[in-house]
Amino acid sequence: MSDQRFLVRKAAVLGAGVMGAQIAAHLVNANIETLLFELPGDADNLNSNVIKAVEKLKKQEPAPLSVKNKASCIQPANYDQHLELLKECDLVIEAIAERMDWKRDLYVKIAPFLGEHTVFASNTSGLSINQLAEAFPENLRHRFCGIHFFNPPRYMHLVELIPCHVSDAVMLDHLEEFLVTYLGKGVIRAKDTPNFIANRIGVFSLLATMHHSRSFDFGFDLVDALTGVLIGRPKSATFRTVDVVGLDTLAHVIHTMRDALPEDPWHRYFEVPDWLQGLIEIGALGEKVKRGVYQKIKNEIHVLDRATKEYRLSGADVDDDLKRLLKYSNPPEKFAALRNNQQPQAQFLWSIFRDLFHYCAIQLESIADNARDLDLAMRWGFGWNQGPFEIWQAAGWKQIALWIQEDIDAGKSMAQVPLPQWVMAIANSDGLQGVHSKQGSFAPAAGKLHARSQLPVYRRQLFPDRLIGEDTTYGETIFETDAVRLWHSGDRIAVLSFKSKMHTIGIDVLEGIQQAIKEAEQNWRALVIWQTEPPFSAGANLQKAAEKPKPETQSGNAPPAPPQPPTAFQMLLKKLRRTTQAAVLQVARELDMADVLMAKKLAEVEEMIKQFQQTSQMLRYSTIPTVAAVDGLALGGGCEFVMHCDRAVATMESYIGLVETGVGLLPAGGGCKELAMRSAQVARDGDPFPHLKYYFQTVAMAELARSAEQAKELGYLRFADTIIMHRFELLYVAKAQALAIAEAGYRPPLPMREIPVAGNTGIATIQSQLVNMREGGFISEHDNLIANKVAYVMCGGDLTPGSLVDEDWLLDLERAAFMELLATEKTQARIEYTLKTGKPLRN
């Protein structure tokens, strides 16, 4: 394959099942026209199977499509009529059922129709790539490999790239670059071994946990309480994960390991437990049929009792002392306590970690190129906060290794094979603290450290996903306070990062932003607001309004402590399944105004709102370009800052919204003003109302964009704003945008001093609709009051339609309406109720 640029103009996915359809959805999310193939359906419409699959995509949660209308870019196709269309495709991905014979038969059928340069890949989760390649003519095998997406493909970061023996090396490099930048994935090169890397380790971890849960006679709910967030894994833990994956799917993967790994020292554990097989036989396959290890009965969660084979109410608790140990101890203390504590729950946790570490050490050389690939595969594919080797290294490599070997010698471990020699060689090394260091990660086959990939695409990741032991410095500090840090990386772009929890915005952050703007105007070409980890910002923190800002501190070149970036699965749980109400709850939590409200310190709040508006305006009218680099949540005030920067660069997985009405308030950091201005800018004959009414609905209903593309539809992002797929390329692209704007001879926009408003006619039109909704019982009296305040502000107040106002007029209306709502007992009750119960109050 030539080394010229690899472009995927058109792709095809073979198989319209759950994975195939969602892979097609993610390809069109990336603006790649995609054919979706399936077996012929109804006689009157042979594409009916694909059409049904695409319709399901529109209804699924979390949504596979960034916006629903992208579904129209998936072109239905079937194997009887449309194989000739494959010649037009640059990439074809097979995603049919995990049957070697079915896949090979399909390959024979479609091979004659592949284009001269078409790359063909299988999405198999564990079948041998080399055996699959044998079904191809020999002259095509160099264009074949495995591309294993994890479910759901839009959200899960990991893709395993698996070559066959003759896969073209240049093709693989091109594919990796495509998967990283255009599909936003974290790519791991896996060896052609059963279940590859993530499923091999992840399924072993599940089997080890099942084994020890049986040995300790622990219920499934207790095991999940122990093996979830307390040990840095997703909330779904072990058996809830089994339900999500599907009991039949898990059984298939276990059988693959049993049949393909007869020499594995842990082979005797590769069996489907009797209780799991029993559930499969009665059709209790997990979440997809609403019954598996868990079942919801009358709004209560029940769990299978292994002994009685009946469901009982779920609710096991972790020992309080163990919970405190897991939450507050450092890793060496934690693991010493787990091993030495005779409490059963502690011994259970030590056992599952010990056997996981043991398995990873033995299998690393055969399944992965180095320890980094294994750890990142588990973080990106299974949602662990840290990979197995990272956990081991943090706990003390040598001590853990000695304890593992002691347990092996004592017959306590699941297998008696000794640790490989390289484990103790690292333990006895003077220069290494474990398998990861600033120089690279250990590769057993080579017996040395492997640096990260040098493919050009990774130069775009200025600060890639870090592992323990790697360099975690973020540039050189310009100035730093308790709330923000302004820094640079040797170029002329200043980068501002917040240090507050969830990057909420209080007085201290506002003052830090203003100081950063002034510094950037004097000494830098542009200012980029970028957080070292998501979210961009959960909004204003009015509790800070009553606090005296702490004095600024200078810290030289010392960076803040590196945060642990959220895993793909955490992002899925925290952001992607969030309803608008849940987003409002997050705002309420992060705005935590209970103390301020109870103290009635409304004057301090109003001063903070003035500061907020002033900061937004400084971002808009700074003499240097300001760019918001958005990833994750940008709620309330965070959204308003995005709207006021000259440009936003957002990852596709950005969830942006003005959601203040959900807690009884309205946007007052310039959000209402900004939408009124945008309506005026596109007004015809001086009438902004046709556009304004849609913006009003967005604000009044606290709509949260579920993707950056939807944020454009809702008006939170502008047409000129840039959307990217890979979160670790965000800062690179944001800097490039900032520099391009600066190089074009940037001057700030001129203030709008003549903004036509919808006035009292616009207000009356909205009020008439609200009256109908109120009388119909769709909104409460207080909902009506809030919506009226929003309408009053966005329409410019009680003025004649077409009256001209300036920005200050709209900002004053915003601030006054905000304070009026904040002073009402019902808004205060909404905020306090939401904080206490986690639910919205409709009073």
Side-chain angles (χ1 to χ4, degrees):
M1 189 170 185
S2 69
D3 200 16
Q4 65 185 12
R5 187 182 179 199
F6 177 63
L7 294 176
V8 179
R9 300 174 181 84
K10 194 171 188 178
V13 178
L14 310 182
V18 173
M19 280 300 290
Q22 292 197 64
I23 291 171
H26 195 54
L27 287 167
V28 297
N29 287 341
N31 292 335
I32 297 167
E33 187 179 353
T34 302
L35 295 162
L36 181 58
F37 278 79
E38 190 47 271
L39 295 169
D42 302 335
D44 56 343
N45 188 345
L46 296 181
N47 290 329
S48 60
N49 289 330
V50 176
I51 292 170
K52 291 175 184 176
V54 173
E55 286 302 311
K56 285 182 181 179
L57 290 174
K58 299 177 184 178
K59 302 173 184 177
Q60 281 181 249
E61 286 292 340
L65 295 159
S66 58
V67 285
K68 286 186 179 180
N69 62 20
K70 283 288 182 77
S72 63
C73 300
I74 301 175
Q75 181 179 341
N78 66 80
Y79 300 117
D80 282 2
Q81 295 178 305
H82 302 119
L83 289 180
E84 284 286 346
L85 297 177
L86 292 176
K87 287 185 169 65
E88 305 171 5
C89 297
D90 303 293
L91 174 65
V92 177
I93 301 174
E94 170 270 306
I96 68 170
E98 288 288 276
R99 284 274 301 267
M100 178 71 73
D101 54 341
W102 291 359
K103 289 179 184 287
R104 289 168 64 107
D105 288 347
L106 179 61
Y107 295 0
V108 170
K109 184 174 184 177
I110 61 97
F113 298 94
L114 296 178
E116 183 179 354
H117 301 291
T118 302
V119 173
F120 187 81
S122 173
N123 183 57
T124 178
S125 61
L127 297 179
S128 170
I129 297 300
N130 283 290
Q131 290 183 37
L132 289 171
E134 293 172 0
F136 271 111
E138 190 170 347
N139 65 325
L140 298 182
R141 292 177 192 171
H142 67 287
R143 290 190 269 135
F144 176 71
C145 65
I147 300 179
H148 178 211
F149 290 84
F150 278 66
N151 189 26
R154 171 183 165 185
Y155 302 107
M156 298 306 289
H157 192 57
L158 178 63
V159 167
E160 291 173 318
L161 184 60
I162 314 102
C164 67
H165 293 317
V166 295
S167 295
D168 185 89
V170 174
M171 175 202 74
L172 293 171
D173 289 348
H174 285 163
L175 266 181
E176 183 164 351
E177 293 178 349
F178 167 76
L179 290 165
V180 170
T181 292
Y182 293 95
L183 297 189
K185 297 305 175 186
V187 176
I188 298 295
R189 299 275 185 112
K191 297 183 179 182
D192 187 19
T193 54
N195 293 336
F196 312 128
I197 301 175
N199 277 345
R200 178 76 170 271
I201 300 302
V203 172
F204 173 80
S205 180
L206 286 173
L207 290 171
T209 303
M210 290 179 186
H211 166 74
H212 289 299
S213 68
R214 185 168 58 249
S215 299
F216 283 85
D217 195 25
F218 284 175
F220 298 140
D221 51 344
L222 176 57
V223 172
D224 278 354
L226 286 164
T227 59
V229 293
L230 280 176
I231 61 171
R233 296 184 187 176
K235 188 177 180 180
S236 57
T238 300
F239 294 104
R240 288 186 187 277
T241 296
V242 169
D243 274 352
V244 171
V245 169
L247 277 65
D248 52 341
T249 301
L250 176 62
H252 171 78
V253 176
I254 294 172
H255 288 150
T256 299
M257 293 178 69
R258 179 197 63 195
D259 297 341
L261 298 167
E263 304 302 321
D264 191 303
W266 286 264
H267 183 266
R268 65 190 179 96
Y269 299 101
F270 299 164
E271 294 292 339
V272 176
D274 291 342
W275 61 265
L276 194 152
Q277 186 60 46
L279 288 174
I280 293 173
E281 289 172 359
I282 63 172
L285 303 179
E287 192 172 276
K288 56 190 170 186
V289 297
K290 309 301 182 186
R291 185 186 178 199
V293 179
Y294 291 90
Q295 183 179 14
K296 191 173 184 179
I297 302 175
K298 295 182 179 179
N299 295 322
E300 293 180 329
I301 303 299
H302 289 65
V303 63
L304 183 73
D305 187 293
R306 186 164 31 211
T308 66
K309 304 294 191 296
E310 301 292 334
Y311 287 90
R312 60 169 174 79
L313 192 64
S314 174
D317 291 324
V318 176
D319 177 80
D320 288 339
D321 290 337
L322 180 61
K323 193 180 295 184
R324 282 191 291 272
L325 170 73
L326 294 172
K327 283 186 175 181
Y328 303 116
S329 299
N330 63 39
E333 292 174 348
K334 184 186 304 181
F335 275 86
L338 291 178
R339 186 173 191 271
N340 297 324
N341 191 334
Q342 294 308 304
Q343 203 269 355
Q345 292 182 14
Q347 283 296 300
F348 167 78
L349 287 178
W350 163 251
S351 298
I352 65 172
F353 275 116
R354 174 199 63 212
D355 291 313
L356 172 65
F357 295 159
H358 187 194
Y359 191 80
C360 290
I362 294 297
Q363 303 298 344
L364 175 59
E365 182 173 351
S366 65
I367 68 173
D369 288 336
N370 53 63
R372 174 179 53 252
D373 288 351
L374 189 149
D375 276 348
L376 290 178
M378 296 312 298
R379 282 166 51 169
W380 296 344
F382 275 74
W384 294 5
N385 287 357
Q386 292 182 307
F389 290 124
E390 286 187 284
I391 300 170
W392 183 348
Q393 182 166 330
W397 185 270
K398 184 172 184 178
Q399 182 60 76
I400 295 294
L402 291 172
W403 283 338
I404 293 172
Q405 192 59 55
E406 285 179 16
D407 282 10
I408 293 170
D409 295 340
K412 296 180 180 179
S413 59
M414 290 172 66
Q416 274 56 64
V417 58
L419 287 170
Q421 291 183 355
W422 64 262
V423 171
M424 293 313 301
I426 288 177
N428 295 322
S429 169
D430 292 333
L432 294 176
Q433 301 299 314
V435 291
H436 303 303
S437 74
K438 293 181 180 180
Q439 290 72 42
S441 296
F442 188 74
K448 62 181 182 180
L449 299 175
H450 273 191
R452 285 181 176 260
S453 171
Q454 296 302 303
L455 284 178
V457 68
Y458 292 111
R459 298 172 195 159
R460 298 167 58 87
Q461 297 186 19
L462 304 181
F463 300 99
D465 208 351
R466 311 295 184 89
L467 293 161
I468 186 173
E470 291 189 310
D471 184 11
T472 53
T473 301
Y474 291 96
E476 183 176 342
T477 300
I478 300 169
F479 77 80
E480 185 172 5
T481 71
D482 288 339
V484 303
R485 177 174 178 255
L486 187 70
W487 52 279
H488 70 95
S489 296
D491 49 25
R492 298 302 308 279
I493 309 296
V495 180
L496 182 67
S497 302
F498 302 171
K499 296 165 64 177
S500 53
K501 181 181 179 183
M502 294 289 287
H503 305 132
T504 52
I505 304 160
I507 286 288
D508 49 358
V509 172
L510 293 173
E511 292 178 346
I513 297 172
Q514 292 182 19
Q515 182 181 349
I517 293 171
K518 292 173 183 176
E519 164 66 27
E521 286 180 327
Q522 291 178 359
N523 300 307
W524 304 88
R525 297 295 306 279
L527 176 67
V528 172
I529 302 177
W530 175 82
Q531 315 298 1
T532 55
E533 83 286 350
F536 178 80
S537 175
N541 183 354
L542 293 184
Q543 191 170 22
K544 290 288 185 182
E547 298 178 3
K548 184 178 180 180
K550 296 180 180 179
E552 177 184 319
T553 59
Q554 297 294 334
S555 62
N557 194 30
Q564 291 295 329
T567 63
F569 200 87
Q570 287 173 317
M571 300 282 283
L572 181 66
L573 290 176
K574 290 181 180 178
K575 297 182 288 189
L576 313 180
R577 292 180 176 174
R578 179 178 276 116
T579 63
T580 299
Q581 288 184 344
V584 170
L585 167 60
Q586 182 63 52
V587 171
R589 286 172 174 161
E590 297 307 329
L591 286 181
D592 192 355
M593 295 179 291
D595 292 347
V596 174
L597 293 174
M598 295 302 291
K600 298 294 189 292
K601 294 183 178 179
L602 297 180
E604 288 90 338
V605 176
E606 184 168 14
E607 181 58 34
M608 178 180 172
I609 298 302
K610 289 180 181 178
Q611 283 267 51
F612 216 117
Q613 293 179 338
Q614 180 183 352
T615 305
S616 294
Q617 293 295 88
M618 288 179 68
L619 287 169
R620 165 60 50 79
Y621 294 111
S622 169
T623 58
I624 45 93
T626 57
V627 175
V630 187
D631 183 34
L633 294 175
L635 303 181
C639 176
E640 289 171 306
F641 282 166
V642 172
M643 295 169 73
H644 281 81
C645 286
D646 292 298
R647 188 69 51 84
V649 178
T651 64
M652 180 65 76
E653 303 313 322
S654 294
Y655 309 91
I656 304 172
L658 298 173
V659 295
E660 289 88 343
T661 59
V663 285
L665 298 168
L666 56 69
C672 291
K673 178 269 300 181
E674 187 65 20
L675 292 176
M677 286 176 55
R678 292 182 185 183
S679 300
Q681 287 170 337
V682 293
R684 290 188 177 182
D685 301 322
D687 182 11
F689 190 74
H691 295 277
L692 186 69
K693 62 183 180 181
Y694 295 111
Y695 289 148
F696 163 78
Q697 180 177 322
T698 296
V699 174
M701 296 183 66
E703 289 202 49
L704 174 68
R706 310 303 177 84
S707 70
E709 287 206 30
Q710 191 183 16
K712 284 192 174 185
E713 290 184 348
L714 294 175
Y716 298 135
L717 295 180
R718 294 153 297 197
F719 179 78
D721 291 332
T722 300
I723 298 174
I724 68 167
M725 299 297 284
H726 202 295
R727 61 177 294 255
F728 289 105
E729 295 184 352
L730 178 61
L731 182 58
Y732 173 89
V733 177
K735 282 188 169 187
Q737 292 274 350
L739 187 59
I741 297 171
E743 291 292 340
Y746 176 80
R747 289 296 302 160
L750 293 173
M752 288 189 68
R753 296 190 174 91
E754 295 186 347
I755 304 167
V757 296
N760 48 30
T761 300
I763 296 170
T765 302
I766 293 173
Q767 284 178 336
S768 65
Q769 297 171 351
L770 293 173
V771 168
N772 293 334
M773 294 180 70
R774 177 72 186 98
E775 291 179 351
F778 297 105
I779 59 174
S780 70
E781 191 62 46
H782 197 54
D783 290 329
N784 184 63
L785 173 65
I786 297 163
N788 270 282
K789 293 290 185 186
V790 173
Y792 187 85
V793 173
M794 294 183 70
C795 291
D798 188 13
L799 299 175
T800 303
S803 295
L804 302 177
V805 303
D806 60 13
E807 293 180 66
D808 287 339
W809 174 271
L810 294 170
L811 290 171
D812 289 343
L813 291 180
E814 262 188 6
R815 188 171 65 254
F818 182 95
M819 297 309 301
E820 289 168 8
L821 288 171
L822 186 58
T824 64
E825 291 185 4
K826 287 190 174 182
T827 284
Q828 294 177 20
R830 285 192 178 196
I831 295 168
E832 293 181 41
Y833 181 86
T834 303
L835 289 167
K836 289 177 181 178
T837 68
K839 300 176 182 179
L841 175 65
R842 287 292 170 259
N843 53 0

